[in-house]
Amino acid sequence: MTAFKDHIYAFKRALTLLFQGKFLVYFIPGLVIAILFYFYTWGLSSLGGSLGFFSKIPWIGSFIAVGVETLFGWVNSFSIFIFQFTIITLLSPFHTMLSEQVETNETGQKFDSNWSKFFNDILRTIGVVIVGGIFYFIIYISWVFFAWMLGISFLSPLVSAILIGFFTGFNSYDYSLERHDVSVLQSWIYAFSHPLQMILTGGVFTLLLFIPYLGVVIAPVLLTMVGTINFLRMKERKNEKLK
């Protein structure tokens, strides 16, 4: 319940800051990504439509169509995962700055910035994305075989969404974790210690992407802001327990 309350607060707070005119400049990179996103969805939709001819093959058409549809579902799941992490990687320099400015706005704490740290942040984000991709691939493939043996493959889209939410959400927290000198290993431990927080934050991102036209522009910015604000609330709660 705490995780849900945190997200409601973080989402409202992020919207309040945006309506106050703060951080609006960070929507500009998303406009560029939006063009790529529309080409992506159009191509995926066209590909799905073209596969319909398999069902017209005499006698075996229906069986082939089911197989192709299943395969296309897998490809679609991986494609969404890859595209989301591509967005995160391309926009990581901007998100790093955004996350820092959100924390400064909320706490008044300022951080030293330099080009060396800037590029280290980007390299760390790319590393997290790669490791996250490997984890996703291993876990999802394992689930596919497990689900196939038990006849519960219909749950695969849900499992994929949860995994994507977890790894996508983690990226939004890692900007803050890196800024507070938390090692990569400890960051992963942090993520697996707060799975619901990661999944909910990533889920917000995924849902926002489906808003026509505007989703791909606003989702990356809100993902970073919600992740940062949530991180601060969790950090404050932990400090209060230690007192």
Side-chain angles (χ1 to χ4, degrees):
M1 184 61 70
T2 300
F4 287 95
K5 290 181 178 179
D6 283 348
H7 278 79
I8 292 173
Y9 170 82
F11 195 75
K12 288 182 177 179
R13 180 58 182 162
L15 290 178
T16 298
L17 292 174
L18 291 173
F19 282 124
Q20 289 175 352
K22 297 181 179 181
F23 315 121
L24 297 181
V25 68
Y26 290 99
F27 285 117
I28 296 176
L31 292 174
V32 177
I33 299 298
I35 298 174
L36 299 176
F37 180 78
Y38 296 139
F39 276 114
Y40 164 79
T41 53
W42 173 79
L44 202 61
S45 177
S46 298
L47 178 60
S50 66
L51 296 178
F53 74 90
F54 281 106
S55 61
K56 299 179 181 179
I57 299 177
W59 297 301
I60 60 173
S62 59
F63 297 101
I64 295 178
V66 171
V68 170
E69 184 177 350
T70 301
L71 178 61
F72 185 77
W74 293 354
V75 172
N76 187 46
S77 296
F78 283 117
S79 296
I80 293 174
F81 172 83
I82 292 171
F83 187 76
Q84 290 196 9
F85 275 76
T86 299
I87 292 175
I88 292 171
T89 303
L90 291 177
L91 297 181
S92 62
F94 306 101
H95 291 165
T96 298
M97 293 186 289
L98 171 59
S99 179
E100 180 179 317
Q101 290 184 16
V102 169
E103 180 165 350
T104 298
N105 183 84
E106 296 299 283
T107 66
Q109 183 177 358
K110 296 184 178 181
F111 300 87
D112 295 329
S113 299
N114 54 62
W115 284 108
S116 176
K117 186 176 184 301
F118 178 76
F119 286 112
N120 284 337
D121 290 347
I122 296 175
L123 291 175
R124 171 168 168 147
T125 299
I126 294 174
V128 168
V129 168
I130 292 174
V131 173
I134 293 172
F135 280 163
Y136 173 87
F137 182 80
I138 293 174
I139 296 173
Y140 188 70
I141 289 298
S142 300
W143 160 260
V144 167
F145 283 108
F146 175 78
W148 175 74
M149 288 188 293
L150 295 182
I152 54 175
S153 296
F154 63 92
L155 293 176
S156 292
L158 175 61
V159 172
S160 178
I162 292 173
L163 291 175
I164 291 174
F166 177 86
F167 292 116
T168 305
F170 170 52
N171 275 273
S172 71
Y173 288 85
D174 192 55
Y175 300 121
S176 298
L177 292 167
E178 195 282 334
R179 190 166 56 253
H180 287 269
D181 299 318
V182 179
S183 68
V184 174
L185 176 59
Q186 288 300 317
S187 292
W188 280 108
I189 293 175
Y190 179 91
F192 284 108
S193 299
H194 304 89
L196 186 56
Q197 294 280 3
M198 306 297 121
I199 293 170
L200 288 176
T201 304
V204 169
F205 176 73
T206 301
L207 291 175
L208 287 173
L209 279 181
F210 288 99
I211 298 177
Y213 304 109
L214 294 178
V216 73
V217 178
I218 65 177
V221 173
L222 281 175
L223 171 74
T224 302
M225 295 181 70
V226 169
T228 302
I229 294 170
N230 259 346
F231 170 82
L232 294 174
R233 282 176 65 84
M234 294 164 67
K235 183 172 180 288
E236 181 181 1
R237 197 156 49 236
K238 181 180 179 181
N239 291 337
E240 289 178 352
K241 289 182 179 179
L242 294 176
K243 292 180 180 179

